[in-house]
Amino acid sequence: MIPKIIHYAWFGNPMPNDVKERIEEWEKNLPGWEFIFWNENNFDFTNFSFTKKKVENHEWGYAADELRFDVLNKFGGFYLDTDMIIKRDLAPFLNRKLVMGFMYDNSILTSLIGSEPNNEIIQKILDLYADSNYDNLKMNLTNNPIVTYFLLKNFDNFRLNGKTQNIAPKCMVYSRDYFCYPSKNKNANYAEHLFTNSWNHGRAYSGIKGEVKKVIRNVAPITYGNIANKRGVRYTNELVLKYKNMGCFK
């Protein structure tokens, strides 16, 4: 069972008002849940060499990469990035051992993960970060391809097809319309990822191109999600090929 706990984190500078407002919306849509806010004052970054390096370099976007798996491993619950919108109560997923979703049809979303405490899969992902063989892989990537690679390596039945699937007993990976992009599927649409790109100073929505993306997303969110998925699939394939050539994906 997954406990009714929401973990989230913010580091490096004061939390913006729009983020605070989003968290207040979480609390309205998740009544009876416990919320734990992680920051520099209550999380020891020195426990993880990867995180320690990133924090020392003020690369705050990577500071929660290992944190999310660490707090889920210790306490259980759901970890949320602060650019997630919660649309419906996540209680229907509490009877699972692990809950993940697709970001693109070939890439795992890591901005929303649910887990029971002491979950073997979560522990193995932490171990992956601790393995020095993956330094080149980790230092230049977000954790989405890392977790995707981990699942491919460890679960023969896991498929990069964007479809909901059971990879182990009570361990589910859901289609991208559950937690990332909206759709007309009445059984999905529990959450949405805004991709505010705060880890990269919001560059994804900067300039004229960024403004056009905002308009399309607001006017035609489902179409926008489908377009973003196609671009994301292509980008992820390029990353996988790049790191295969480097010897990281064996």
Side-chain angles (χ1 to χ4, degrees):
M1 292 288 292
I2 299 175
K4 297 177 75 171
I5 302 173
I6 296 295
H7 304 274
Y8 64 103
W10 190 269
F11 315 104
N13 50 57
M15 183 181 290
N17 288 332
D18 63 324
V19 174
K20 293 179 181 178
E21 292 171 1
R22 201 148 46 238
I23 293 168
E24 290 175 359
E25 286 297 314
W26 295 354
E27 295 173 350
K28 292 179 183 178
N29 290 324
L30 298 169
W33 288 63
E34 178 184 359
F35 289 79
I36 302 179
F37 172 40
W38 297 98
N39 53 47
E40 299 94 326
N41 298 321
N42 62 358
F43 187 80
D44 186 1
F45 293 109
T46 63
N47 282 338
F48 303 101
S49 59
F50 170 76
T51 303
K52 183 174 182 292
K53 292 175 184 177
K54 292 300 185 182
V55 170
E56 288 173 349
N57 293 332
H58 293 173
E59 296 179 80
W60 302 111
Y62 295 91
D65 278 13
E66 287 172 292
L67 178 150
R68 71 194 67 204
F69 301 113
D70 184 50
V71 299
L72 288 176
N73 195 41
K74 290 178 179 176
F75 305 103
F78 277 82
Y79 170 85
L80 302 179
D81 275 350
T82 55
D83 60 350
M84 292 296 301
I85 295 175
I86 297 299
K87 299 178 177 180
R88 302 165 63 184
D89 196 340
L90 299 173
F93 303 101
L94 296 179
N95 63 342
R96 303 294 185 184
K97 293 183 177 182
L98 180 71
V99 171
M100 292 183 175
F102 280 102
M103 178 173 67
Y104 308 126
D105 286 344
N106 64 345
S107 180
I108 290 294
L109 179 75
T110 58
S111 57
L112 184 153
I113 301 173
S115 174
E116 63 182 359
N118 302 311
N119 181 279
E120 182 180 1
I121 297 175
I122 296 296
Q123 180 59 61
K124 286 184 176 180
I125 294 174
L126 280 171
D127 294 341
L128 178 64
Y129 268 90
D131 188 339
S132 60
N133 290 328
Y134 294 98
D135 277 350
N136 290 331
L137 172 64
K138 292 182 299 186
M139 296 306 290
N140 299 303
L141 285 176
T142 59
N143 56 20
N144 308 95
I146 297 172
V147 175
T148 303
Y149 162 62
F150 166 82
L151 295 182
L152 281 172
K153 182 180 179 182
N154 288 275
F155 297 94
D156 292 336
N157 58 335
F158 176 58
R159 298 290 181 267
L160 294 183
N161 56 15
K163 296 181 180 180
T164 297
Q165 52 196 282
N166 191 340
I167 60 172
K170 293 190 174 182
C171 296
M172 298 292 298
V173 176
Y174 290 88
S175 58
R176 56 188 168 87
D177 57 354
Y178 271 77
F179 308 125
C180 192
Y181 291 107
S183 77
K184 295 181 181 179
N185 181 1
K186 295 181 180 180
N187 295 320
N189 294 293
Y190 281 85
E192 183 177 346
H193 191 196
L194 293 177
F195 292 94
T196 57
N197 214 212
S198 59
W199 63 273
N200 197 25
H201 307 291
R203 291 173 185 169
Y205 288 101
S206 62
I208 296 176
K209 185 176 180 180
E211 291 301 318
V212 172
K213 288 169 66 176
K214 288 180 183 178
V215 171
I216 296 174
R217 180 164 195 151
N218 291 333
V219 174
I222 295 176
T223 299
Y224 175 86
N226 291 333
I227 294 172
N229 176 61
K230 289 181 180 179
R231 290 169 58 90
V233 166
R234 185 169 62 249
Y235 173 69
T236 301
N237 284 338
E238 291 173 356
L239 279 180
V240 170
L241 178 61
K242 174 183 177 180
Y243 284 93
K244 274 185 177 179
N245 292 336
M246 290 176 60
C248 296
F249 286 65
K250 296 180 179 179

